[in-house]
Amino acid sequence: MEQADSGGSASTGAAALSENEAQFRATMDAAQVGIFVLQGHLFKYVNPCLLGLLGYRADELVNHKGPLDLFPAEQHGFLLQQMDARTAGIGGTSYEMTVVRKDGGLLPVRILGAPSVFAGRPASVGTVVDLSAQKLAELKIRELADFDALTGLPNRRLLHDRLTQLLAVAERDQSAFALMFLDLDHFKRINDSLGHSLGDELLCAVSRRLSGAVRKVDTLARLGGDEFILAMPGINAAAAADVARRLLEECNAPFLVAGHELTVTPSVGISVCPQDGRDIDSLLKNADAAMYKAKELGRNTFQFYAAEMNTATLERLMMESNLRRALKNQEFVLHYQPLVSLQSGLIVGVEALIRWQHPDLGMIMPDRFIHVAEDTGLINPLGDWVLGEACRQAQAWNDAGLPPTCMAVNVAPVQFRQAGFIEAVAGALAASRLDAGLLELELTERTVMHDADISIGTLAALHRMGVELSLDDFGTGYSSLAYLKRFPVGKLKIDRSFVRDLVLDADDQAIASTIVSMGRNLRLTVLAEGVETAEQLLLLRNMDCDMAQGFLFSRAVPPDQMAELLRTQPFMTKE
């Protein structure tokens, strides 16, 4: 009887255990959160909910994979700490991570683990909660808080945050940024005549067009109504004026809204940090004031808060317009400055220097217009004209019986990097019949060091043509000696800044002497620019500098005067 009772008790216990296990599994299977058991960094149990979240089958995970297979490598250190702590019997708190599903998708989850025992050995049990809906809701809340509900642009709150960051960067880096206040002209008429619904559609269309015309680093925000703010980091007044013109042009084209072709123009006010303000309120207030000045001037225009900026912008616009006219009317001329051998006093070359013969203002020097030509892209046609005219003049002197003279032509960075530059040089040589060896192209260090590997290819192609090459303003840039050795240049020009105080400044003497010595060791000709006194000339001769140019010999002169200098060679005995 005792044995029978004992057998019955064991049978009852086994049945109860089996029933408890079945209840446990049923509960786990019905759970609406992911549940797992880990042991030895591997899954020992995964409930259906977690399998659904991860996209795996149970036989793919259990005893085959662990958390380290489901999370990015940079999170493995943290995961190992958590798993080892649970195995050691240490409880934990919940934490959020992003798991990688079987299909490669990312899933934000919250995990909570606790120490446990599995098959008589330490393990951990945990839950996984899907946070996708929560994160989506949080994103929507942030969008409502930071973005305009109508246009999707940043709103006043987010704009304030961005401007706070810009002010901090500007103060740290001592840099500038521009703030643009845009107000749509006569927008109320559209709302009143066609209704607010169509007005809202127009605002969205304007927002899309303006967004497509600015940089990704810029912040275009809607303050409300028909008012927009554009914050532009790293932008000075001249660049801000270019952006304002572009935005005005963008709005010139009609907007097609609900079958209506509508034209709406902005009035734009610009303030620049730090000169127009060092805090958000001042910059916004001053940009707003400048915008109202733009409206007073007839709308569909822009104004700076600082009056002197408007004057400078007007001068720049007039300069650009006049430059285009000057190119068309052939108002540019070349003057030539002799390049003199310091050993013999012979004029062995000339440098072509552009001048603008303005019909009203007279002769305009290049420092007043070259930067505008470079900023507006006019430097390419202007540079092509200089190249062609210099080659033509050099061949004309040859045809007149003057000794063959090297013609040096400055090449702007934009011109050097334009597609077809090599072909333009070849065309100028062919049109003038000038021997390629009599043409020397002068490039600054900064020009050739910009994308140096690409520059080497262009320089090599010009060298193969037989064209001479020289590095202008040497010593002011950032040439790598390794690259200098690879560049096929034949001449270095010591920048005038080192020659100006050569007699008085020991440092300038040391720099000039070093450049001469380096040039000699690299088998390069060295020319000193800006020589104006006999004392400077004597020092350069004592350094064994090869050539010089400057007012001591001659200013840049018209072609007929240059021809006379070539004919008479007046510097043969000049000391």
Side-chain angles (χ1 to χ4, degrees), residues 391-534:
C391 289
R392 185 203 64 76
Q393 182 60 70
Q395 185 59 39
W397 286 331
N398 292 341
D399 293 342
L402 294 172
T405 303
C406 182
M407 176 64 74
V409 177
N410 289 283
V411 178
V414 175
Q415 184 185 6
F416 178 71
R417 291 193 288 269
Q418 72 170 320
F421 175 66
I422 296 170
E423 290 77 6
V425 174
L429 290 170
S432 63
R433 299 178 291 108
L434 182 68
D435 182 88
L438 294 177
L439 175 63
E440 179 178 279
L441 298 181
E442 295 187 359
L443 304 112
T444 65
E445 287 181 87
R446 289 180 175 85
T447 299
V448 295
M449 287 303 296
H450 180 88
D451 284 335
D453 291 325
I454 295 176
S455 296
I456 287 173
T458 304
L459 294 172
L462 293 167
H463 184 66
R464 287 193 298 270
M465 289 167 54
V467 174
E468 297 294 326
L469 300 164
S470 70
L471 275 186
D472 198 8
D473 300 339
F474 190 77
T476 62
Y478 47 90
S479 283
S480 157
L481 293 180
Y483 275 111
L484 182 61
K485 184 177 67 174
R486 295 171 61 192
F487 291 147
V489 298
K491 183 185 294 180
L492 301 180
K493 299 186 72 173
I494 304 175
D495 185 67
R496 66 183 65 248
S497 63
F498 302 124
V499 176
R500 183 185 307 113
D501 297 322
L502 192 63
V503 177
L504 302 174
D505 193 320
D507 290 339
D508 284 347
Q509 288 183 29
I511 292 170
S513 179
T514 300
I515 294 173
V516 170
S517 177
M518 182 177 64
R520 186 185 308 112
N521 290 332
L522 291 174
R523 298 178 297 281
L524 302 175
T525 299
V526 179
L527 181 150
E529 297 181 291
V531 178
E532 298 183 359
T533 69

Side-chain angles (χ1 to χ4, degrees), residues 192-491:
D192 292 345
S193 59
L194 298 175
H196 288 272
S197 177
L198 192 141
D200 287 349
E201 290 186 45
L202 178 58
L203 286 173
C204 292
V206 171
S207 301
R208 287 191 296 270
R209 192 175 292 182
L210 294 178
S211 297
V214 300
R215 304 172 303 172
K216 289 185 178 179
V217 296
D218 298 332
T219 296
L220 177 66
R222 182 183 177 220
L223 285 189
D226 59 349
E227 294 179 340
F228 299 85
I229 294 291
L230 177 60
M232 300 171 287
I235 289 284
N236 57 24
D242 290 338
V243 174
R245 283 199 299 272
R246 186 166 70 246
L247 295 181
L248 292 173
E249 290 170 1
E250 286 289 332
C251 291
N252 279 339
F255 295 87
L256 186 61
V257 178
H260 298 274
E261 201 172 78
L262 304 174
T263 299
V264 61
T265 59
S267 291
V268 180
I270 306 170
S271 62
V272 180
C273 176
Q275 51 263 49
D276 296 331
R278 295 176 180 270
D279 60 83
I280 295 174
D281 289 341
S282 296
L283 289 167
L284 285 172
K285 176 174 65 70
N286 292 339
D288 188 26
M291 182 271 293
Y292 277 103
K293 284 200 293 183
K295 285 191 177 295
E296 290 171 4
L297 290 174
R299 296 180 169 82
N300 192 25
T301 188
F302 67 92
Q303 282 287 290
F304 284 98
Y305 176 71
E308 60 270 19
M309 288 187 184
N310 293 316
T311 302
T313 301
L314 181 59
E315 289 177 355
R316 178 186 169 88
L317 288 171
M318 292 180 64
M319 179 69 76
E320 180 181 342
S321 175
N322 287 335
L323 273 175
R324 295 183 187 279
R325 188 207 67 229
L327 267 172
K328 182 180 179 182
N329 295 345
Q330 300 180 343
E331 295 174 7
F332 295 102
V333 295
L334 292 184
H335 284 189
Y336 302 89
Q337 188 172 39
L339 312 179
V340 180
S341 167
L342 295 190
Q343 185 175 12
S344 64
L346 279 170
I347 299 174
V348 292
V350 300
E351 181 177 356
L353 298 167
I354 191 169
R355 303 287 187 263
W356 180 1
Q357 186 64 59
H358 194 283
D360 301 319
L361 303 177
M363 194 70 74
I364 300 177
M365 303 301 280
D367 58 353
R368 290 186 55 192
F369 63 84
I370 285 295
H371 67 285
V372 178
E374 289 178 336
D375 290 345
T376 57
L378 291 172
I379 194 67
N380 288 334
L382 191 58
D384 290 345
W385 176 83
V386 170
L387 187 61
E389 176 59 18
C391 289
R392 185 203 64 76
Q393 182 60 70
Q395 185 59 39
W397 286 331
N398 292 341
D399 293 342
L402 294 172
T405 303
C406 182
M407 176 64 74
V409 177
N410 289 283
V411 178
V414 175
Q415 184 185 6
F416 178 71
R417 291 193 288 269
Q418 72 170 320
F421 175 66
I422 296 170
E423 290 77 6
V425 174
L429 290 170
S432 63
R433 299 178 291 108
L434 182 68
D435 182 88
L438 294 177
L439 175 63
E440 179 178 279
L441 298 181
E442 295 187 359
L443 304 112
T444 65
E445 287 181 87
R446 289 180 175 85
T447 299
V448 295
M449 287 303 296
H450 180 88
D451 284 335
D453 291 325
I454 295 176
S455 296
I456 287 173
T458 304
L459 294 172
L462 293 167
H463 184 66
R464 287 193 298 270
M465 289 167 54
V467 174
E468 297 294 326
L469 300 164
S470 70
L471 275 186
D472 198 8
D473 300 339
F474 190 77
T476 62
Y478 47 90
S479 283
S480 157
L481 293 180
Y483 275 111
L484 182 61
K485 184 177 67 174
R486 295 171 61 192
F487 291 147
V489 298
K491 183 185 294 180

